[in-house]
């Protein structure tokens, strides 16, 4: 059992990651702006937290084995989050990434394609910036897990593929359920294989 702090525990990805961690017996401090929205699950302690308040966040994160960030990129500053994890003395930091920075061909990112939806561009751009900041990070043992292009509610099948920096495309296009994404992320917590790397998951 590991002690995990999960920031953004009430969001779409966060709720699935929280359930997966709880189901596997990990002790989770589930952090959200509105903790009353966090599901009541075994081994879960809900806490109110503000991603803009570095010092208060660092206090919440202290004493954990790993921190998972499942916060919308548009709602946070990567440097504040990274500084909070550092200040808390936690070495492992896993980030729920975005698909926009994945490559559709060598050197060609998904976000830069002409048909990339305009509505998703601001969030995807912030996600790419977050990854760029992480790549400069010298202290933390970080991992950035990018979902496939379609990141949607679905089933927990436990069957998926992993990749590195290239967008994964299968018979149903490029997609992954929140539930199977959570499996891949918690697998990475339990059996680290992508230290200081970005990787991706898809069908």
């Amino acid at each position: 059992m590991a002690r995990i702090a999960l920031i953004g525990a009430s969001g779409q990805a966060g709720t699935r990651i929280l359930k997966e961690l709880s189901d596997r017996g990990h002790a989770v401090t589930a952090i959200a702006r509105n903790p009353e929205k966090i599901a009541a699950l075994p081994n879960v302690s809900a806490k109110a937290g503000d991603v803009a308040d570095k010092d208060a966040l660092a206090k919440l994160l202290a004493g954990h084995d790993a921190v998972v960030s499942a916060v919308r990129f548009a709602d946070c500053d990567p440097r504040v989050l990274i500084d909070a994890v550092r200040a808390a003395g936690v070495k492992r930091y896993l980030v729920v990434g975005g698909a926009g920075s994945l490559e559709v061909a060598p050197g060609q990112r998904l976000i830069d394609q002409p048909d990339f939806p305009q509505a998703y561009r601001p969030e995807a751009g912030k996600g790419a910036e977050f990854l760029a900041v992480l790549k400069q990070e010298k202290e933390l043992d970080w991992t950035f897990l990018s979902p496939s292009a379609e990141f949607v509610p679905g089933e927990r099948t436990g069957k998926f593929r992993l990749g590195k920096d290239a967008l994964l495309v299968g018979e149903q296009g490029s997609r992954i359920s929140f539930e199977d994404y959570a499996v891949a992320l918690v697998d990475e917590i339990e059996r680290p294989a992508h230290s200081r790397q970005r990787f991706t998951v898809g069908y």
Side-chain angles (χ1 to χ4, degrees), residues 133-171:
V133 172
L134 275 178
K135 285 181 174 178
Q136 302 302 312
E137 172 58 33
K138 299 288 190 270
E139 291 179 40
L140 300 180
D141 180 8
W142 61 268
T143 299
F144 187 98
L145 176 53
S146 288
S148 290
E150 287 186 56
F151 194 21
V152 293
E155 295 180 21
R156 183 193 187 282
T157 69
K159 297 176 182 176
F160 44 77
R161 295 182 294 150
L162 300 181
K164 189 74 171 56
D165 292 311
L167 183 73
L168 293 173
V169 180
E171 292 177 2

Side-chain angles (χ1 to χ4, degrees), residues 16-92:
R16 273 72 167 195
I17 294 166
L18 182 62
K19 184 177 188 311
E20 187 70 25
L21 286 166
S22 173
D23 286 351
R24 297 202 203 180
H26 296 292
V28 189
T29 301
I31 301 165
R33 192 178 300 156
N34 304 112
E36 66 277 6
K37 293 182 180 178
I38 294 170
L41 294 168
N43 307 313
V44 170
S45 172
K47 301 283 185 182
D50 181 351
V51 294
D53 187 336
K54 185 196 84 172
D55 295 335
L57 194 57
K59 288 178 183 174
L60 285 174
L61 303 180
H64 292 85
D65 300 309
V67 174
V68 178
S69 173
V71 185
R72 271 172 45 87
F73 295 118
D75 296 337
C76 66
D77 179 335
R79 289 170 180 83
V80 172
L81 285 174
I82 290 167
D83 285 350
V85 177
R86 270 209 226 105
V90 182
K91 290 301 180 194
R92 287 204 71 203

Side-chain angles (χ1 to χ4, degrees), residues 87-196:
V90 182
K91 290 301 180 194
R92 287 204 71 203
Y93 181 41
L94 298 97
V95 177
V96 175
S101 57
L102 290 167
E103 295 184 342
V104 296
Q108 295 185 36
R109 301 184 306 171
L110 181 63
I111 190 177
D112 298 326
Q113 303 311 299
D115 58 349
F116 190 85
Q118 197 61 38
Y120 299 146
R121 205 171 283 278
E123 175 71 5
K126 291 280 190 184
E129 289 174 20
F130 201 118
L131 178 58
V133 172
L134 275 178
K135 285 181 174 178
Q136 302 302 312
E137 172 58 33
K138 299 288 190 270
E139 291 179 40
L140 300 180
D141 180 8
W142 61 268
T143 299
F144 187 98
L145 176 53
S146 288
S148 290
E150 287 186 56
F151 194 21
V152 293
E155 295 180 21
R156 183 193 187 282
T157 69
K159 297 176 182 176
F160 44 77
R161 295 182 294 150
L162 300 181
K164 189 74 171 56
D165 292 311
L167 183 73
L168 293 173
V169 180
E171 292 177 2
Q172 300 176 333
S174 178
R175 61 183 296 275
I176 189 70
S177 70
F178 290 121
E179 290 77 4
D180 276 338
Y181 177 95
V183 175
L185 186 84
V186 179
D187 284 350
E188 180 67 24
I189 291 173
E190 294 180 346
R191 298 183 298 281
H194 300 88
S195 175
R196 304 178 66 80

